[in-house]
Amino acid sequence: MTSVPPGLILIAGGMLLPLLRGRVRALAVLGLPLATLALVWAVPVGASSTLPFLGWELAPVHGTVTGRLFATIFSITAFAAGLFALPRARPLELAAALVYAGGAVGVTLAGDVVTLFVFWELMAVASTTVIWASDQPGAWSASMRYLLIHLLGGMLLMAGLAAHVAGTGSVAFQAFPTEGIARWLILAGFLVNAGAPPFSAWIADAYPEASPSGMVFLSAFTTKAAVYALLVGFPGTGVLVPIGLYMVFYGIIYALLENDMRRILAYSIVNQVGFMVTGIGIGTEMALNGAASHAFAHIIYKALLLMSAGSVLHATGRRKCTELGGLFRSMPATTVCGAVGALAISSFPFTSGFVSKSMVSQAAVDEHAMVVWFLLAAASAGVFLHAGIKFPWFVFFQRDSGLRPPDPPAPMRAAMWLFAALSVAIGLVPGPLYALLPHAVTYEPYTVPHVVAYLQLLLFAGLAFFVMLPLMRRTETIALDLDWIYRRPLAVLARDMAQRIDRSRRAAERTGQIAWARLASGLFQAYGPGGALGRTRPTGTMLLWVVLLLGAFVILHFSQSG
Amino acid sequence: MSGAERGPSGRAGGGDDRRPAAGDRAKEHWLVRPVSLRRIKIVSVIVLALTVLPDLFVEQHAAFGVEDAFGFYAAYGFLACVAMVLVAKALGAALKRGDRYYD
């Protein structure tokens, strides 16, 4: 077995990408993810490569069923998002995106926490670069806020992992012990990346500032790598259930208030990850299968939705619902693909979301968690409301904005069709996906009562949308979130502190300069060409003074001893 | 917003059956003509009724005791969404700011 992590292919390729030109570069962007996919599948489950490092045995490549599932979808998404990015993305974005994808693949195959952490932080740096490379006006400052949050999360994770390794003496990445401060620090570090409260706002703050293709990359890796880490490290951790449920409803409510189409979809990432986090918290085999398969399905349909929104942004340069509408006339492919993504995210029967998410609900039934089940059912209806209808309705239908942009270029359309087909294929034939899951699947999604129940839930959610439409009129607003704390009061404090430091530094500099100038001029006066001590004197005068001093010394000496 | 807006009840219904058409005529797209809108509305109402109808003979496994009530999922989905929209509206009153707030 090779001990080279498959992710390194993407990372090295990404770093060399700027040297390539034209067709060769395009070939690399598409070929490297496929090569990685092949290498991922060449790692047998249970196999582990070892690498001695500072007295520890690291396992940079460790084959597990869950890891392979995530590495597979990460590679596939890197390919499709790369295809989507080809016509427009800057070389820097493509290079950073490949490194980013490589980091994500590296995380899923890491057998020890040191490797995990290295790839984890590499993802943070590379994803920040993806945002930097954007052509959107707010990208720079958004990327800085994004980096700050991820450095904070990385710090928590680093502290937790260090405490864990010091306490247990083991660097293996597996379920963490059920108590101790290390556990909570690691959990917090993972949750920051998953978009859990109180750090949910960074997703909708940073991702929509990326380029049309950049956001497709961003939506796939960071939050889902966090889901993977939680799946392995914290299955059945009870506190994840309320956290996940909070995320589910946070996403819905904020998406309902949002006007920017890509921010709507960003909030729905938090919403969907909330379903996964809830499943991990329930922790039964059914729930973990649900969380893992939902992550797989979600990456595809979320990328699809963002490709659809990205195509609109690419063609119109507009992001706000208030400036869009009626685009179905001239963008049929984008509309159909967006609608497929919208149905899949809503768990409509015969789409991928239906066969994955319902396992989490089923797990709640099996565990007799009534409140959890009712909340998940309400949230499922809410997904249709905020993403399933709201996004396509306001962008492609509602009033006619008068815009008649064309569908995007062929590579972008091909990427959309590919993921639309996958979303439907997984929904129609869930068997192959179920075969990849960490536990044996005993679940049958297509029973008549289940299909009927979901159709009722979703279609009447749709009815509610149109009944409530007067209340949903878009306004040119944002909704304040907890990021207000670090964007307003903390920012003011930081700016104030920076000013004070700057001022006192200047004052100190000035005082220093004055003191130095005084000293220099004093020395100059004394020792300079005209100074008293710098003057040359005749030898006779010096001799006279020496004689006088010696004489005085002799007289004093004898007068004392006498 | 006013002239082209079809009004809130213009598309009341399931809303999942809209498909774009390639044939973009010179004037109005067939999908937005009043006749089509009326048909979409009628079809939507029929589809909604059809999804509730099976509750008469399909039995839901009532794990918690209420799911087998007639039209439970329909009512629950509708009411949950109305509640979420109202909560969002209320929160929005407190949290909404102009979208250049942070600029």
Side-chain angles (χ1 to χ4, degrees):
Chain A
M1 192 190 94
T2 168
S3 61
V4 176
L8 277 188
I9 305 266
L10 283 170
I11 294 168
M15 292 189 171
L16 295 176
L17 198 71
L19 303 179
L20 306 177
R21 290 277 174 271
R23 211 169 272 262
V24 185
R25 179 192 287 162
L27 213 63
V29 168
L30 299 178
L32 290 170
L34 296 180
T36 307
L37 182 62
L39 279 179
V40 165
W41 277 83
V43 178
V45 168
S48 211
S49 70
T50 54
L51 178 75
F53 175 75
L54 298 180
W56 288 304
E57 280 288 300
L58 303 191
V61 186
H62 177 61
T64 61
V65 178
T66 318
R68 188 172 62 190
L69 175 78
F70 279 79
T72 301
I73 190 57
F74 286 158
S75 309
I76 294 174
T77 307
F79 169 81
L83 181 61
F84 184 79
L86 278 183
R88 167 158 174 156
R90 292 178 179 166
L92 175 64
E93 179 189 308
L94 288 173
L98 285 185
V99 175
Y100 182 27
V105 171
V107 164
T108 57
L109 295 177
D112 66 278
V113 295
V114 179
T115 309
L116 175 88
F117 186 76
V118 169
F119 283 122
W120 192 269
E121 290 304 296
L122 188 67
M123 283 174 69
V125 174
S127 54
T128 307
T129 315
V130 170
I131 306 176
W132 269 349
S134 164
D135 45 14
Q136 301 293 305
W140 164 257
S141 47
S143 73
M144 283 294 109
R145 291 192 294 274
Y146 174 87
L147 187 61
L148 269 179
I149 294 297
H150 285 273
L151 291 180
L152 172 72
M155 220 166 61
L156 291 170
L157 185 60
M158 177 81 214
L161 291 177
H164 170 72
V165 172
T168 63
S170 156
V171 289
F173 178 44
Q174 52 206 18
F176 292 101
T178 49
E179 45 202 44
I181 181 77
R183 163 194 174 75
W184 296 108
L185 285 170
I186 297 169
L187 183 62
F190 288 163
L191 282 175
V192 167
N193 270 24
F199 296 107
S200 306
W202 63 263
I203 294 180
D205 177 25
Y207 285 1
E209 301 306 329
S211 74
S213 50
M215 188 166 175
V216 179
F217 286 111
L218 290 163
S219 74
F221 301 127
T222 299
T223 48
K224 259 60 74 182
V227 167
Y228 167 76
L230 289 169
L231 254 172
V232 175
F234 298 94
T237 301
V239 70
L240 290 178
V241 174
I243 290 176
L245 289 172
Y246 173 91
M247 291 167 70
V248 163
F249 286 99
Y250 163 90
I252 295 173
I253 299 292
Y254 273 87
L256 284 175
L257 290 170
E258 186 53 55
N259 185 32
D260 181 318
M261 64 173 172
R262 293 205 305 166
R263 286 175 59 103
I264 292 174
L265 296 176
Y267 283 123
S268 85
I269 294 176
V270 184
N271 160 273
Q272 294 294 303
V273 172
F275 282 105
M276 300 166 211
V277 171
T278 307
I280 297 168
I282 295 173
T284 59
E285 288 192 354
M286 173 78 79
L288 296 178
N289 273 344
S293 63
H294 199 46
F296 192 97
H298 166 81
I299 290 174
I300 297 174
Y301 60 67
K302 179 56 72 181
L304 174 61
L305 281 165
L306 286 167
M307 287 177 190
S308 172
S311 298
V312 171
L313 176 60
H314 170 74
T316 65
R318 302 180 187 200
R319 285 160 49 179
K320 295 177 188 171
C321 290
T322 40
E323 299 173 350
L324 294 165
L327 300 185
F328 76 97
R329 293 172 180 84
S330 60
M331 301 185 86
T334 309
T335 308
V336 171
C337 291
V340 170
L343 292 177
I345 197 174
S346 312
S347 304
F348 226 83
F350 312 112
T351 64
S352 56
F354 181 73
V355 301
S356 58
K357 191 172 72 184
S358 44
M359 274 193 273
V360 177
S361 294
Q362 185 60 43
V365 171
D366 297 344
E367 295 300 291
H368 308 291
M370 187 170 81
V371 176
V372 175
W373 183 85
F374 268 97
L375 290 174
L376 286 178
S380 297
V383 175
F384 194 42
L385 188 69
H386 85 271
I389 306 187
K390 184 179 170 178
F391 163 69
W393 170 256
F394 279 110
V395 173
F396 298 113
F397 300 103
Q398 64 151 341
R399 76 206 161 84
D400 183 4
S401 61
L403 299 171
R404 295 290 184 274
D407 267 324
M412 295 168 87
R413 287 204 307 275
M416 283 197 284
W417 286 121
L418 172 68
F419 268 19
L422 266 179
S423 291
V424 175
I426 293 172
L428 291 175
V429 191
L433 172 59
Y434 285 178
L436 295 178
L437 297 183
H439 305 283
V441 177
T442 53
Y443 181 68
E444 173 51 55
Y446 289 110
T447 64
V448 175
H450 188 218
V451 172
V452 167
Y454 253 82
L455 283 177
Q456 281 189 20
L457 198 67
L458 295 180
L459 292 180
F460 278 82
L463 176 66
F465 177 86
F466 288 101
V467 169
M468 305 293 278
L469 205 50
L471 288 181
M472 313 253 281
R473 183 146 296 168
R474 295 296 85 229
T475 49
E476 301 217 326
T477 50
I478 57 161
L480 293 188
D481 198 338
L482 288 175
D483 64 343
W484 180 81
I485 295 169
Y486 59 81
R487 295 181 72 176
R488 274 299 167 91
L490 283 186
V492 169
L493 265 179
R495 225 169 286 142
D496 182 66
M497 198 149 91
Q499 271 173 4
R500 279 168 197 273
I501 290 174
D502 197 46
R503 226 177 297 145
S504 56
R505 197 203 61 203
R506 268 182 223 199
E509 262 177 24
R510 236 186 344 264
T511 322
Q513 272 168 358
I514 291 170
W516 171 246
R518 278 209 193 116
L519 183 67
S521 73
L523 285 174
F524 189 79
Q525 257 176 9
Y527 294 99
L533 297 173
R535 248 178 273 146
T536 49
R537 295 165 202 279
T539 321
T541 321
M542 293 304 292
L543 198 66
L544 178 67
W545 277 107
V546 170
V547 168
L548 282 175
L549 279 172
L550 273 174
F553 178 75
V554 169
I555 291 165
L556 278 172
H557 180 76
F558 283 103
S559 67
Q560 270 186 353
S561 61
Chain B
M1 270 243 171
S2 57
E5 176 100 40
R6 280 176 298 275
S9 59
R11 286 271 181 107
D16 59 304
D17 49 0
R18 233 166 279 109
R19 282 285 171 274
D24 195 4
R25 300 221 183 143
K27 44 181 186 89
E28 278 281 56
H29 195 279
W30 66 268
L31 206 50
V32 295
R33 282 186 223 137
V35 177
S36 321
L37 290 181
R38 203 158 43 241
R39 278 187 201 143
I40 289 171
K41 221 196 283 188
I42 293 167
V43 169
S44 303
V45 171
I46 295 172
V47 168
L48 285 178
L50 280 179
T51 57
V52 184
L53 213 58
D55 273 7
L56 291 174
F57 20 84
V58 175
E59 206 173 316
Q60 295 284 349
H61 327 282
F64 305 115
V66 283
E67 305 100 288
D68 54 348
F70 177 76
F72 164 78
Y73 284 95
Y76 187 66
F78 183 82
L79 293 176
C81 285
V82 169
M84 280 184 274
V85 170
L86 292 179
V87 168
K89 198 78 189 158
L91 271 178
L95 297 178
K96 270 193 177 185
R97 296 289 185 278
D99 58 9
R100 313 205 56 81
Y101 177 77
Y102 283 120
D103 295 348

